[in-house]
Amino acid sequence: MSKPIIVFDLDGTLVDTAPDLLDSLNHTLVAGGLAQVDDRAFRRFVGQGGRIMIERAYTAQQKQLAAVEHDRLHDIFLDHYTVNIPGRSLPYPGVVAAMDRFTEAGYLLAVCTNKYETLAQGLIQALGLSNRFAAITGPETFGIRKPDPRHLTETIAKAGGDVSRAVMVGDSVTDIDTAKAAGIPVVAVDFGYTDRHVSEYEPSVVISHYDELTLGMAQKLIDAASR
């Protein structure tokens, strides 16, 4: 019988990667001849990927960005970010203890992210967390990406989990829409990367600290979803 499973998004949910993504963005902008950005202003966008961050920075500075230059700068961004993993990125407070709770109770854990799988694997390994996850998948794993619900359901299948006893944990509308489309309850953290409060996207539950992610909460959400 398949096991219950908790599936985490990565950036802004499991790990605070903003310091390193912003460092890579600023390195890239300097290479493109632009001014560096205010970290506080751009932090809410870092979960949307390097290409969008670069595009937003150009728009904010009222600069044109040709497709060829966009590609070149994205390559610079990825190179800088990859070389510096894990940098200053750290798991969010309480998340390791939460994973311990669920593992000890017989749950599987997995990561479903729109970050490239190679980068996700590298980051999680560098943080010493790889052995905790039954699967770590990115957009190239199955050739699909969130909000396509198959990214989530295929991640669960790859991990050996039970889709009818699964909970998604994320920080953005993408995660919430993915879980809803898959018929899976979703816990939204309110400390991640989004330009609107996650409650506006109507997740199953919103938490402000991983101490709130309890076994009782997960079971209640699974029970409600199965009715």
Side-chain angles (χ1 to χ4, degrees), residues 115-142:
K115 193 187 203 76
Y116 291 123
E117 182 189 331
T118 51
L119 294 178
Q121 293 273 10
L123 174 61
I124 291 169
Q125 182 176 3
L127 293 172
L129 301 175
S130 293
N131 63 345
R132 293 177 175 273
F133 299 105
I136 299 169
T137 71
E140 74 272 40
T141 309
F142 310 113

Side-chain angles (χ1 to χ4, degrees), residues 7-210:
V7 184
F8 295 90
D9 172 52
L10 183 54
D11 297 77
T13 299
L14 190 69
V15 180
D16 183 7
T17 53
D20 300 300
L21 292 167
L22 289 166
D23 283 350
S24 293
L25 175 63
N26 281 324
H27 171 83
T28 302
L29 295 178
V30 170
L34 269 70
Q36 296 187 11
V37 300
D38 180 345
D39 287 2
R40 292 170 297 179
F42 265 74
R43 187 179 178 93
R44 65 187 184 277
F45 299 123
V46 300
Q48 299 177 14
R51 294 189 70 89
I52 291 178
M53 291 171 66
I54 293 165
E55 182 180 340
R56 286 184 181 274
Y58 267 74
T59 299
Q61 297 185 39
Q62 299 181 333
K63 300 289 186 180
Q64 294 294 318
L65 180 59
V68 172
E69 179 68 353
H70 200 175
D71 290 342
R72 183 183 78 87
L73 293 177
H74 188 235
D75 288 342
I76 291 172
F77 177 92
L78 289 176
D79 288 344
H80 184 271
Y81 181 73
T82 302
V83 167
N84 289 283
I85 286 174
R88 294 179 286 155
S89 296
L90 291 171
Y92 281 102
V95 70
V96 172
M99 290 192 289
D100 286 342
R101 284 196 295 275
F102 283 97
T103 299
E104 289 168 5
Y107 280 72
L108 296 170
L109 305 176
V111 172
C112 178
T113 176
N114 280 347
K115 193 187 203 76
Y116 291 123
E117 182 189 331
T118 51
L119 294 178
Q121 293 273 10
L123 174 61
I124 291 169
Q125 182 176 3
L127 293 172
L129 301 175
S130 293
N131 63 345
R132 293 177 175 273
F133 299 105
I136 299 169
T137 71
E140 74 272 40
T141 309
F142 310 113
I144 48 180
R145 63 189 294 144
K146 298 178 294 183
D148 189 321
R150 293 174 298 167
H151 190 178
L152 176 55
T153 56
E154 290 296 322
T155 298
I156 293 169
K158 183 178 175 68
D162 184 344
V163 71
S164 70
R165 294 191 293 161
V167 175
M168 175 76 186
V169 183
D171 72 311
S172 70
V173 63
T174 300
D175 299 317
I176 294 166
D177 286 350
T178 302
K180 286 181 177 180
I184 292 171
V186 55
V187 175
V189 301
D190 67 3
F191 43 74
Y193 311 143
T194 178
D195 55 349
R196 293 167 58 187
H197 196 277
V198 287
S199 62
E200 295 183 35
Y201 306 120
E202 300 182 348
S204 308
V205 177
V206 177
I207 62 172
S208 299
H209 192 283
Y210 273 105

